[in-house]
Amino acid sequence: MRIKKLTNGFTLIELLVVISIIALLVSILMPALNKAKQQAYISVCTSNEKQILTAWIMYADANEDNLVNPFTNAIVANWNPTNDKDHWVGSPINDNGNSFDSYSASTEEEKIRGIKVGAL
């Protein structure tokens, strides 16, 4: 009586060779993926800068060629939160419509509300 040997599976050596080839290919592709990610980040930044510049020019066109005040509430020493329309970014505003003195103590939603009341 002969025992039949099964040969349908992979050996451990074959499996390790395949895993090492995949790891080698991934290590070759990672620098290319990082470069693509960096290029995408640069494109997003460039687009954001263009949008801000366009808003700045549109503001000047609509306001007799006057530029918006470039200061934000973090820079101005004597900050008056009721005068947000003079600044291109307003201070954060809570649900009641009140401004915050501290930028870091506000939520993202409150910061977005402050940006919307700014000049741009």
Side-chain angles (χ1 to χ4, degrees), residues 56-68:
W56 207 293
I57 291 170
M58 289 174 64
Y59 179 89
D61 286 343
N63 291 286
E64 301 172 358
D65 290 336
N66 293 321
L67 291 177
V68 68

Side-chain angles (χ1 to χ4, degrees), residues 92-93 107-117:
I93 299 173
T107 64
E108 288 297 317
E109 187 176 308
E110 293 163 343
K111 291 175 186 175
I112 290 171
R113 273 192 225 116
I115 291 170
K116 287 181 179 178
V117 300

Side-chain angles (χ1 to χ4, degrees), residues 3 16 42 44 46 74 90 101:
I3 298 177
L16 290 175
I42 290 170
V44 168
T46 304
D101 290 334

Side-chain angles (χ1 to χ4, degrees), residues 22-95:
I22 291 171
L24 179 67
L25 291 174
V26 167
S27 67
I28 291 171
L29 290 177
M30 285 307 289
L33 292 176
N34 286 336
K35 186 175 180 180
K37 183 178 176 182
Q38 185 178 9
Q39 289 293 330
Y41 180 76
I42 290 170
S43 297
V44 168
C45 288
T46 304
S47 174
N48 289 342
E49 287 177 356
K50 182 181 178 191
Q51 288 177 3
I52 289 174
L53 180 63
T54 303
W56 207 293
I57 291 170
M58 289 174 64
Y59 179 89
D61 286 343
N63 291 286
E64 301 172 358
D65 290 336
N66 293 321
L67 291 177
V68 68
N69 187 349
F71 298 110
T72 63
N73 59 6
I75 299 172
V76 178
N78 297 323
W79 172 246
N80 183 3
T82 60
N83 201 9
D84 272 339
K85 293 180 182 176
D86 292 341
H87 301 279
W88 67 287
V89 176
S91 61
I93 299 173
N94 62 12
D95 293 332

Side-chain angles (χ1 to χ4, degrees), residues 6 13-14 19-20 38 48 50 58 99 115:
L6 296 175
I13 299 297
E14 291 171 336
I19 291 173
S20 65
Q38 185 178 9
N48 289 342
K50 182 181 178 191
M58 289 174 64
S99 296
I115 291 170

